[in-house]
Amino acid sequence: MAVVGSGAGGSAVAGELAAAGRDVLVIEAGPKWFDPLGTHVRNVYHSEADLSRVGDIIYGEMLSYPSGSSEPVGRLADLKVAHGTGGMFALWMGNCPYPDSGELPTWMGKDEWAPYFARALELMHIDRNGGGSGKMFEALLARTRKAIGARPAGREVMPMPFAARRIENRLKITASDDLFFRGAGSLPNLRIMTDCVVRGVLTDGGKATGLHAALRTNQNERIEIAADTIVIAGGTVGSPKILAASKLDTGPALGRYIHEHVCIGSRVTLKQDIRELIRDDEPVYSIWVPFSHGRPWQNQLCRFTLSSDGGRLAPGIREVDTSDIFTFVAMDVTPENRFIFDHERVDPFGLPHTDAAFGFSRDDRERIGAAMAEHFLIASEVGDVQAGWTPSIYPAGGSTHFMGSCRMGEKDDGESVVDRYGKLWRYENIFVADNSVLGTSNAGNPTFTTVAQALRTADRILGRSGVA
Ligand SMILES: Cc1cc2nc3c(=O)[nH]c(=O)nc-3n(C[C@H](O)[C@H](O)[C@H](O)COP(=O)(O)OP(=O)(O)OC[C@H]3O[C@@H](n4cnc5c(N)ncnc54)[C@H](O)[C@@H]3O)c2cc1C
């Protein structure tokens, strides 16, 4: 079985197939970053004192335009990805908001998701109260609740569910290595080939027979890999490129329905009474104001010390005295927002050059305005919005949560590329398992949902009907 891409979706499927005894080869376009494979960057540079350096490494070295191109994808100026073992999953921050039913496809029942969310919760080591603790955290939680007011049951302001565990008294963020190896150490039946770019799927009739690929360092030599099951997990940009290059019969939805969360971000200096509760060794924290019906956005208050803009702090204010506030706003999912593949030009990976058509609807803009008002309410309740507080809307693509392009659907009606199991409608052994299948408007950081869906895909491949 061949899995293309070693990020969140790819490692979840590969680990599950390998744990069931299947012979699995993961093909990853990027280099081997850390040992063991798929290790999270923060788990390598784990000293808290070193965290600002981690920010520079992530944003300066590990994120790039798709396919390592020197140009953005069309006007998606900030759409960046990670090409290396673990993909973006080696850089993520571990926030796992539990999706509201309004953020999942209406044609799929809650019961279809429940066992997979439960299994993802376990495999990703998600602590539902892991967002923080201590006096300062409790004060911040109380003030955020005051700013927001009453909320529906289960969608109250709460600590963010967080994918990490404590090892030797330090926080180890969940990454691909957890999903690949399941604590069993190296599995002989799971192998990874790095620096190898998959260029297309080989088919015979309605069936895949393998993949063709090339080393990044030697693009002229064609490598063929035989496999009886293919899982494409190259991410929202990578997966549709491979399918487009393969000229498969995917229908008109391929590359369409791309969407993200419009991200409003600001950093606020906390009010004096909250600052007085801060310990010198105050740990990272994350507070969550969930998405709910009629309020299609979510807020997060966190301090990850990933930015190195200490120079912008007011005199006498330490980084630990501030909080980042992010508001992620759901946007409409429409076929007009799409990637456009140019088969006459190739990108640095030898795949079709990719452009994008992407814009906001009137409803999107109204939603962003309402969410911005709530962002201000929170900021002014917990911090000082008088002096130099500047919220900003991230450039398109900048949420790091880009989704769609290989949309999952209920039926083969031209509005989706894969079925509920991630299987291509018109091929019996080609699957997609990554953020690209998420084609329903939502505001939640997507990785928890992507991993849950990837586990469903693995079950389908293994002929299992559910997870005990
Ligand atoms: C700084 C940062 C913080 C984040 N924080 C969070 C968070 O707190 N919570 C959350 O839910 N999400 C977060 N995310 C987003 C999260 O990382 C992604 O949702 C997740 O990694 C997406 O998984 P994926 O499988 O779709 O793609 P990826 O993890 O990006 O993996 C795709 C892999 O496929 C490989 N690939 C692509 N094309 C090819 C090809 N042709 N041949 C071979 N290999 C190929 C790529 O090199 C890559 O390794 C964050 C992201 C970043 C960058």
Side-chain angles (χ1 to χ4, degrees), residues 4-10 27-30 58-59 63 82-84 86-89 91-95 196-198 233-235 238 242 351 400-401 433-435 445-448:
V4 184
S6 62
I27 303 125
E28 167 55 52
I58 290 178
Y59 294 105
L63 285 172
H83 290 301
M88 285 204 290
F89 197 34
L91 323 182
W92 80 316
M93 291 318 306
N95 291 296
C196 184
V197 176
V198 169
I242 297 167
L351 287 158
T400 70
H401 300 162
D434 54 28
N435 282 3
N445 313 44
T447 311
F448 179 42

Side-chain angles (χ1 to χ4, degrees), residues 441-452:
S441 179
N442 69 79
N445 313 44
T447 311
F448 179 42
T449 308
T450 288
V451 169

Side-chain angles (χ1 to χ4, degrees), residues 351-387:
L351 287 158
H353 175 85
T354 305
D355 208 335
F358 192 77
F360 296 128
S361 67
R362 185 179 170 83
D363 283 352
D364 288 337
R365 285 176 275 150
E366 285 182 0
R367 226 176 281 131
I368 294 165
M372 178 70 103
E374 190 172 287
H375 188 105
F376 178 74
L377 272 181
I378 298 172
S380 53
E381 184 62 45
V382 304
D384 175 8
V385 292
Q386 305 296 322

Side-chain angles (χ1 to χ4, degrees), residues 40-42 45-59 91-93 95 136 162 171 173 266-267 270 278-286 301-310 313 317-326:
H40 193 281
V41 57
R42 253 185 74 144
Y45 300 94
H46 58 79
S47 141
E48 293 282 318
D50 224 10
L51 282 184
S52 59
R53 177 160 152 62
V54 170
D56 291 342
I57 293 170
I58 290 178
Y59 294 105
L91 323 182
W92 80 316
M93 291 318 306
N95 291 296
M136 192 287 278
F162 198 53
L171 211 55
I173 296 190
S266 73
R267 173 168 289 190
L270 294 169
I278 295 173
R279 305 193 317 246
D280 282 345
D281 60 345
E282 190 68 44
V284 293
Y285 63 82
S286 184
L301 283 82
C302 48
R303 190 184 72 83
F304 287 127
T305 59
L306 275 189
S307 61
S308 50
D309 64 351
L313 297 173
I317 298 296
R318 303 161 302 166
E319 187 145 17
V320 74
D321 296 327
T322 66
S323 182
D324 288 328
I325 307 176
F326 294 109

Side-chain angles (χ1 to χ4, degrees), residues 62-371:
M62 297 174 95
L63 285 172
S64 67
Y65 293 128
S67 297
S69 172
S70 56
E71 291 167 24
V73 177
R75 293 178 62 203
L76 295 168
D78 263 22
L79 177 56
K80 294 202 171 160
V81 300
H83 290 301
T85 45
M88 285 204 290
F89 197 34
L91 323 182
W92 80 316
M93 291 318 306
N95 291 296
C96 289
Y98 205 89
D100 183 75
S101 56
E103 296 177 279
L104 295 168
T106 48
W107 47 269
M108 241 168 152
K110 254 168 83 177
D111 296 351
E112 283 190 67
W113 284 100
Y116 294 102
F117 280 134
R119 181 126 174 83
L121 211 68
E122 176 197 329
L123 289 175
M124 296 169 81
H125 311 288
I126 297 171
D127 177 352
R128 295 200 76 165
N129 290 309
S133 59
K135 283 189 180 158
M136 192 287 278
F137 180 77
E138 291 301 331
L140 203 52
L141 200 57
R143 294 291 263 276
T144 309
R145 285 182 176 138
K146 187 172 167 216
I148 294 291
R151 311 273 299 121
R155 309 304 286 176
E156 301 93 350
V157 180
M158 61 180 94
M160 172 65 82
F162 198 53
R165 56 200 156 123
R166 291 226 158 253
I167 292 187
E168 292 160 12
N169 208 27
R170 73 180 173 85
L171 211 55
K172 180 181 182 295
I173 296 190
T174 304
S176 289
D177 51 350
D178 293 62
L179 299 188
F180 280 140
F181 304 123
R182 310 283 161 88
S186 167
L187 294 171
N189 55 330
L190 183 129
R191 288 166 299 148
I192 304 190
M193 189 172 176
T194 54
D195 294 298
C196 184
V197 176
V198 169
R199 294 240 177 104
V201 181
L202 302 168
T203 55
D204 186 4
K207 221 178 156 207
T209 54
L211 297 164
H212 69 97
L215 294 180
R216 272 191 309 139
T217 47
N218 179 6
Q219 301 224 355
N220 296 326
E221 193 180 336
R222 180 180 162 108
I223 299 170
E224 292 201 358
I225 298 157
D228 57 27
T229 303
I230 307 284
V231 181
I232 311 280
T236 295
V237 194
S239 288
K241 276 192 187 210
I242 297 167
L243 294 175
S246 310
K247 305 261 171 70
L248 297 178
D249 180 15
T250 54
L254 184 68
R256 293 181 182 268
Y257 303 98
I258 55 176
H259 62 114
E260 67 169 336
H261 311 136
V262 180
C263 180
I264 304 165
S266 73
R267 173 168 289 190
V268 71
T269 299
L270 294 169
K271 286 194 167 153
Q272 179 66 30
D273 60 320
I274 303 178
R275 291 212 307 267
E276 281 166 5
L277 301 172
I278 295 173
R279 305 193 317 246
D280 282 345
D281 60 345
E282 190 68 44
V284 293
Y285 63 82
S286 184
I287 288 173
W288 179 36
V289 187
F291 170 111
S292 60
H293 182 70
R295 235 189 95 266
W297 56 83
Q298 57 139 340
N299 303 293
Q300 296 174 9
L301 283 82
C302 48
R303 190 184 72 83
F304 287 127
T305 59
L306 275 189
S307 61
S308 50
D309 64 351
R312 298 217 318 253
L313 297 173
I317 298 296
R318 303 161 302 166
E319 187 145 17
V320 74
D321 296 327
T322 66
S323 182
D324 288 328
I325 307 176
F326 294 109
T327 302
F328 291 116
V329 191
M331 64 180 286
D332 287 344
V333 177
T334 69
E336 289 75 32
N337 282 339
R338 66 190 191 281
F339 292 135
I340 300 154
F341 304 106
D342 181 349
H343 295 278
E344 303 302 314
R345 292 167 67 193
V346 289
D347 70 16
F349 278 5
L351 287 158
H353 175 85
T354 305
D355 208 335
F358 192 77
F360 296 128
S361 67
R362 185 179 170 83
D363 283 352
D364 288 337
R365 285 176 275 150
E366 285 182 0
R367 226 176 281 131
I368 294 165

